[in-house]
């Protein structure tokens, strides 16, 4: 196995107790690391790495095809049923997707036909939502325009095609176009992360689209729900991070958990946000200085966080999966870092 590309983008996907993590090797290959929550040491479900799959190469006979992933490509993943989708960017900054329906993973021709360019500094995030017995993938990216807006691409099982904008998941025609987005830019190159919408996330109540979190040009945590909806801060909070923090979120249906990298000692910290209030930050891991981070919540009482670490003895960058277990007996700190278990991926 080739070493992971230092500072590779990371994205993770939970399908039941199966956990899939995607990264790029130093040869530009996109790989899928497969693991599971397994019962070890009594009844604790801990992430356990199993094996790695080759998804997509950058080179073919020393040539780089037009659809090949660029080095340091952003990554996002989602699934519909048993099919997993991995999204990436090519050398000309156009967005591509491949599917796990066969080996090698075939390109999603519907997404390719949209021919969507993103900013060269753009990150990606994707999430699957359900409504009216339909499922949809929402894929977010940052445009190369001056306003650096976050835009949405979507795929719905209702019509089986990719579109620019919100997915059609209703038995009626889609609603009228939403109002124009604000022009004040998000932070250029901001991390983008999303969770399913629910009551209590301070978003437009009638929206069924995911809630997207990002970093504003003021360095504050901001969110929006829907397509081209105005981005705003969480008004009851004043959460500001280091510039270009790596950011990822998960939600258990009652509390939003936000992981981010700090400006001091390159730590990963976690905060819990509930009822418009945030807990004190908790330091949970020490990654490489520019590590991306990704988190999934395979079950309500488990969170798995992925990040890169430096193996000084081997002289290489490695990938770690850290499992957090919720402690029902603790109301002040239900996810203590001391209970986290770290697993090396390959």
């Amino acid at each position: 196995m080739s070493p992971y590309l230092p500072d590779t983008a990371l994205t993770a996907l939970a399908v039941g107790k199966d956990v899939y993590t995607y990264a790029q090797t130093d040869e530009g290959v996109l790989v899928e690391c497969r693991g599971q929550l397994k019962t070890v040491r009594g009844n604790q479900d801990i992430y356990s790495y199993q094996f790695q799959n080759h998804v997509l190469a950058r080179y073919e006979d020393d040539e780089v095809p037009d659809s090949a992933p660029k080095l340091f490509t952003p990554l996002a993943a989602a699934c519909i049923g048993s099919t997993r989708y991995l999204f990436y960017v090519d050398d000309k900054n156009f967005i591509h997707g491949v599917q796990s329906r066969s080996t090698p993973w075939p390109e999603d021709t519907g997404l390719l036909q949209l021919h969507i360019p993103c900013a060269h500094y753009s990150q990606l995030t994707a999430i699957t939502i359900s409504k009216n017995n339909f499922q949809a993938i929402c894929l977010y990216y940052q445009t190369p325009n001056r306003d650096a807006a976050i835009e949405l691409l979507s795929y719905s099982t209702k019509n089986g095609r990719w579109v620019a904008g919100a997915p059609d998941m209703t038995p009626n025609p889609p609603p009228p176009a939403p109002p124009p987005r604000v022009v004040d830019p998000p932070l250029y190159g901001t991390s983008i992360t999303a969770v399913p919408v629910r009551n209590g996330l301070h978003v437009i109540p009638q929206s069924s689209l995911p809630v997207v979190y990002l970093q504003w040009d003021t360095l504050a945590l901001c969110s929006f729900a829907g397509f081209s909806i105005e981005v705003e801060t969480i008004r009851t909070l004043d959460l500001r991070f280091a510039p270009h923090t790596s950011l990822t979120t998960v939600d258990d249906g009652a509390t939003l958990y936000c992981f981010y990298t700090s400006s001091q000692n390159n730590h990963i910290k976690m905060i819990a946000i509930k009822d418009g209030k945030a807990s004190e930050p908790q330091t949970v891991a020490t990654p490489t200085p520019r590590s991306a981070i990704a988190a999934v919540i395979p079950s309500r009482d488990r969170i798995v966080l992925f990040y890169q670490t430096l193996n000084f003895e081997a002289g290489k960058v490695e990938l770690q999966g850290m499992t957090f277990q919720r402690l029902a007996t603790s109301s002040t700190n239900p996810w203590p870092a001391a209970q986290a278990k770290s697993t090396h991926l390959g």
Side-chain angles (χ1 to χ4, degrees):
M1 181 194 76
S2 297
Y4 294 110
L5 186 69
D7 307 328
T8 177
L10 296 176
T11 188
L13 187 64
V15 184
K17 287 195 173 185
D18 291 322
V19 178
Y20 302 90
T21 309
Y22 300 90
Q24 190 174 32
T25 72
D26 62 359
E27 295 181 352
V29 177
L30 302 186
V31 294
E32 176 187 69
C33 299
R34 181 170 179 172
Q36 272 194 335
L37 287 183
K38 289 189 175 181
T39 302
V40 294
R41 291 185 292 275
N43 61 356
Q44 293 185 4
D45 282 344
I46 301 299
Y47 171 80
S48 175
Y49 173 68
Q50 295 175 310
F51 54 84
Q52 183 189 98
N53 290 322
H54 174 111
V55 175
L56 184 67
R58 173 170 168 80
Y59 298 101
E60 290 183 3
D61 299 326
D62 296 327
E63 298 291 330
V64 180
D66 291 340
S67 61
K70 70 178 182 179
L71 289 175
F72 302 100
T73 178
L75 296 172
C79 69
I80 291 181
S82 60
T83 301
R84 302 183 298 283
Y85 296 76
L86 180 62
F87 305 100
Y88 66 93
V89 174
D90 66 22
D91 282 338
K92 294 182 179 179
N93 297 311
F94 286 93
I95 300 174
H96 295 259
V98 290
Q99 307 173 18
S100 65
R101 292 177 176 172
S102 62
T103 302
W105 289 30
E107 177 138 24
D108 191 313
T109 55
L111 180 59
L112 178 64
Q113 290 169 359
L114 290 182
H115 205 58
I116 300 294
C118 65
H120 67 276
Y121 48 75
S122 176
Q123 304 297 312
L124 301 175
T125 194
I127 190 170
T128 304
I129 59 175
S130 301
K131 184 179 179 181
N132 296 329
N133 295 320
F134 299 118
Q135 287 187 295
I137 295 175
C138 295
L139 173 63
Y140 296 89
Y141 66 98
Q142 199 165 14
T143 70
N145 302 332
R146 184 176 181 180
D147 62 4
I150 306 297
E151 297 283 6
L152 165 63
L153 304 174
S154 63
Y155 173 87
S156 172
T157 57
K158 179 180 178 180
N159 50 34
R161 61 188 180 92
W162 282 94
V163 297
D168 180 8
M169 304 176 71
T170 67
N172 302 314
R181 62 178 180 266
V182 294
V183 296
D184 186 24
L187 184 67
Y188 290 103
T190 176
S191 292
I192 314 171
T193 180
V195 298
V197 71
R198 63 169 173 81
N199 291 332
L201 287 181
H202 306 280
V203 295
I204 298 175
Q206 63 269 27
S207 175
S208 61
L209 293 174
V211 185
V212 181
Y213 294 90
L214 59 146
Q215 192 175 22
W216 204 235
D217 57 3
T218 63
L219 307 185
L221 177 66
C222 293
S223 67
F224 69 90
F227 170 58
S228 294
I229 299 298
E230 181 173 334
V231 179
E232 65 177 6
T233 59
I234 303 173
R235 297 176 184 177
T236 57
L237 301 175
D238 184 21
L239 292 176
R240 297 175 187 271
F241 305 129
H244 299 102
T245 184
S246 295
L247 180 69
T248 188
T249 53
V250 294
D251 187 85
D252 65 5
T255 303
L256 177 75
Y257 299 95
C258 177
F259 296 85
Y260 63 96
T261 50
S262 71
S263 59
Q264 297 178 346
N265 302 322
N266 302 307
H267 290 150
I268 299 175
K269 296 189 176 184
M270 177 179 71
I271 55 174
I273 302 174
K274 185 175 183 180
D275 300 328
K277 299 179 181 179
S279 67
E280 289 296 320
Q282 177 187 180
T283 299
V284 297
T286 303
T288 56
R290 294 176 54 84
S291 175
I293 58 177
V296 293
I297 185 162
S299 64
R300 188 177 172 85
D301 62 352
R302 296 292 187 277
I303 296 174
V304 184
L305 173 69
F306 297 95
Y307 58 96
Q308 286 191 297
T309 59
L310 181 59
N311 185 328
F312 285 96
E313 293 183 1
K316 65 178 182 179
V317 174
E318 298 178 338
L319 197 57
Q320 295 287 334
M322 179 175 286
T323 307
F324 295 85
Q325 176 190 3
R326 184 200 303 271
L327 298 182
T329 58
S330 175
S331 58
T332 57
N333 182 17
W335 304 88
Q339 294 295 321
K341 307 297 181 182
S342 187
T343 302
H344 172 58
L345 277 68

